[in-house]
Amino acid sequence: MQTNRTFTMLKPDSVEKGHVGAILEKINAAGFRIVAMKLTQMTTADAKAFYAIHKERPFFGELVAYMTRGPIVAAILEKDNAVEDFRTLIGATNPADAAEGTIRKLYAASIGENAVHGSDSDENAAIEGAFHFSGREMF
Ligand code: UDP
Ligand code: MG
């Protein structure tokens, strides 16, 4: 089952703008089952660890500030081919490049404030899900 799971965050801009309900509707309509979900806020240390792979990139400081400025909705989602299908549902990192109807096309403001996270591999989905949830919070 692990290979059929992905991890997402509805980022602080989605919560601030009241887009959580609309984004969850799209996730449900696309056939994902919610395995775990909560409203939570990352600390600076959390965000630096979560995005450690990007620590040398010029946008790292802005990314950490953005991701910690307010609550997020973190969730684990299950579906056949979950990682790839969820990346398709959210669209390209830059909303200017995102396909019509994708979550980022609809709700992202910019390449930085881009509404949602989606894991990029099965391995990272498992690592990222475990970063936010204990086994007791997964259903
Ligand atoms: N990001 C940014 N500027 C960039 C590229 C990425 O601010 O030029 C931010 C953006 O919020 C993105 C996150 O860093 O979602 C992680 O980047 P990644 O390349 O992993 O994109 P993703 O996997 O989220 O599409
Ligand atoms: Mg990524």
Side-chain angles (χ1 to χ4, degrees), residues 58-74:
F59 59 80
F60 186 66
E62 273 178 47
L63 175 60
V64 170
Y66 160 51
M67 289 302 298
T68 58
R69 78 178 184 213
I72 61 166
V73 174

Side-chain angles (χ1 to χ4, degrees), residues 6-10 14 19-37 73-79 82 85-86 89-90 101 103 106-107 115-118:
T6 191
F7 172 77
T8 188
M9 296 181 286
L10 312 192
S14 293
H19 291 155
V20 169
I23 293 170
L24 290 178
E25 275 195 26
K26 289 195 74 72
I27 290 170
N28 277 323
F32 291 88
R33 186 180 78 80
I34 295 168
V35 173
M37 185 163 67
V73 174
I76 297 171
L77 305 172
E78 193 170 77
K79 182 184 178 298
D85 286 2
F86 193 71
L89 179 67
I90 68 178
I103 291 171
L106 289 165
Y107 301 113
V116 284
H117 169 80

Side-chain angles (χ1 to χ4, degrees), residues 51 53-54 87 93 104 117-120 128:
Y51 284 112
I53 194 168
H54 294 305
R87 295 288 302 199
T93 307
R104 283 172 166 165
H117 169 80
S119 302
D120 62 8
E128 292 170 0

